Amino acid sequence: MKLLPRIILDTDIGTNADDAVALALAVKSPEIRLEGVTTVYGQVQARAVIADKIMRLCGVEGIPVYPGIEQPLLRNRPMFRAGLERKGWSPDDEEKEWDKHAVDFIVETVMRNPGEITLVTIGPQTNIAAALIREPRLSERVKEIVVMGGVTRLASNGLHLSALEFNIQCDPEAASVVFASGAPIVMVGLDVTRQAVFSREEKDKMAACGTPLALELTDMMQSFMDYMDRDFSYMCDPLAVAAVIDRSFIRTRRMNVSVHYDHREDSGQTIAELSDNGNVEVALEVDTERYFRMLHSRLFTACS
């Protein structure tokens, strides 16, 4: 009997909509087993409350959620958009007691299950870096780390992409620790996620099924598009989960990837070069149509 891939989802949920969509996809996908959720960056306790709410809207309870590290690894950088542009939580949520820290949960779960746990990190990589620093053997015990972050500008849309990606820019020192760890890494960066664009009209179609989950997710999409003052957004983070469910959604090339950082606020560039012996599998192409079709069927239909 084939065992389901087991994942821990590390997220800065609550800042925009696609983290919540990624979490819902992980819960709703029978091909994977969600072991737990860890939150990172900023108001991590409130993020944990939001994660728990999304899972309850998916009809599940009992999957553990653990808040993690609030500040960048070296505490030497300003917080980017760290506040929650999201209703449904209050300052009282930050007073809730949690029985374990995210880093403890990551280390314990991976070390007790060698070769079985995939870390899917869709926010700044502070929790993952701290886990690797605390237990260096984690890099040998983890099955792989799927990172939604970075950009190489080597895909067909490269000329139109920023040289910096938000998750890496928030904590480039942490990202450097992760990419240099020797762990098997799959990088799902702007090269492919910027191809997964949707409009307000498409958001309305997602909401049309009327389920509580779909309405909550599309309300978050609406709020984020309003916040960004634009009529479109991207489904970045769910693509990292989709790549665990079915790797054929993306096509990768092996590269050497490192993270450039210094004292400047705009540091955090991922430097990549093609190499057959590279340390990272970098996604350069995505089957966008099939990816969105799966999202619709699992999250935005009346039976979802």
Side-chain angles (χ1 to χ4, degrees):
M1 180 179 178
K2 184 178 179 180
L3 297 177
L4 296 179
R6 303 167 63 188
I7 75 169
I8 295 173
L9 186 70
D10 188 66
T11 173
D12 59 344
I13 192 169
T15 301
N16 56 24
D18 59 337
D19 288 82
V21 176
L23 174 55
L25 179 62
V27 172
K28 289 281 193 175
S29 295
E31 300 92 342
I32 59 178
R33 174 177 161 187
L34 181 60
E35 296 289 331
V37 179
T38 53
T39 61
V40 68
Y41 202 70
Q43 295 157 295
V44 291
Q45 289 85 4
R47 296 191 193 283
V49 171
I50 294 170
D52 189 63
K53 177 182 179 180
I54 293 298
M55 289 193 286
R56 283 187 278 110
L57 284 171
C58 291
V60 301
E61 295 185 16
I63 296 175
V65 184
Y66 299 109
I69 299 173
E70 299 179 6
Q71 296 284 334
L73 190 65
L74 300 187
R75 301 196 172 201
N76 62 341
R77 299 188 179 278
M79 301 290 286
F80 295 113
R81 206 168 68 228
L84 301 178
E85 295 80 43
R86 195 64 216 122
K87 58 181 179 291
W89 67 277
S90 74
D92 292 340
D93 292 330
E94 305 231 22
E95 301 302 319
K96 179 178 177 180
E97 293 292 329
W98 306 88
D99 62 1
K100 189 171 292 189
H101 191 277
V103 174
D104 294 333
F105 174 70
I106 290 168
V107 171
E108 291 170 9
T109 306
V110 172
M111 296 304 290
R112 290 174 180 172
N113 301 278
E116 296 183 14
I117 305 297
T118 293
L119 301 177
V120 181
T121 172
I122 58 175
Q125 296 175 53
T126 318
N127 286 338
I128 310 302
L132 286 162
I133 292 169
R134 178 176 169 185
E135 177 48 86
R137 293 177 299 168
L138 197 80
S139 63
E140 302 170 356
R141 300 289 183 91
V142 71
K143 182 176 181 180
E144 65 180 359
I145 303 175
V146 180
V147 174
M148 193 278 108
V151 56
T152 71
R153 306 182 77 191
L154 295 175
S156 59
N157 59 342
L159 292 178
H160 305 286
L161 298 176
S162 167
L164 293 169
E165 185 276 326
F166 177 78
N167 286 341
I168 304 296
Q169 188 181 11
C170 285
D171 196 348
E173 288 89 356
S176 180
V177 170
V178 174
F179 278 99
S181 68
I185 295 175
V186 178
M187 177 175 138
V188 181
L190 296 188
D191 307 276
V192 285
T193 62
R194 281 297 181 263
Q195 300 175 40
V197 60
F198 67 96
S199 65
R200 288 186 188 267
E201 291 75 17
E202 290 165 321
K203 179 268 302 177
D204 291 339
K205 293 178 182 177
M206 296 176 194
C209 70
T211 64
L213 175 63
L215 293 174
E216 177 71 14
L217 294 177
T218 53
D219 183 45
M220 295 176 82
M221 295 174 198
Q222 177 77 44
S223 296
F224 189 67
M225 285 189 278
D226 291 345
Y227 173 79
M228 296 296 291
D229 192 25
R230 64 191 187 196
D231 291 323
F232 66 93
S233 194
Y234 305 99
M235 282 292 182
C236 301
D237 294 330
L239 186 55
V241 176
V244 179
I245 296 168
D246 183 349
R247 190 56 52 85
S248 70
F249 279 117
I250 59 173
R251 285 163 290 283
T252 66
R253 293 288 302 274
R254 186 163 287 279
M255 303 185 193
N256 282 317
V257 178
S258 59
V259 179
H260 174 78
Y261 61 87
D262 56 29
H263 64 280
R264 292 173 295 181
E265 291 185 9
D266 62 351
S267 70
Q269 186 175 357
T270 42
I271 309 299
E273 60 179 0
L274 292 170
S275 172
D276 291 338
N277 299 313
N279 63 327
V280 179
E281 288 283 347
V282 177
L284 293 179
E285 299 177 64
V286 55
D287 189 338
T288 305
E289 182 178 349
R290 191 161 64 92
Y291 168 52
F292 271 101
R293 191 161 61 242
M294 182 183 70
L295 290 179
H296 276 273
S297 67
R298 297 194 178 187
L299 305 181
F300 302 110
T301 66
C303 60
S304 64

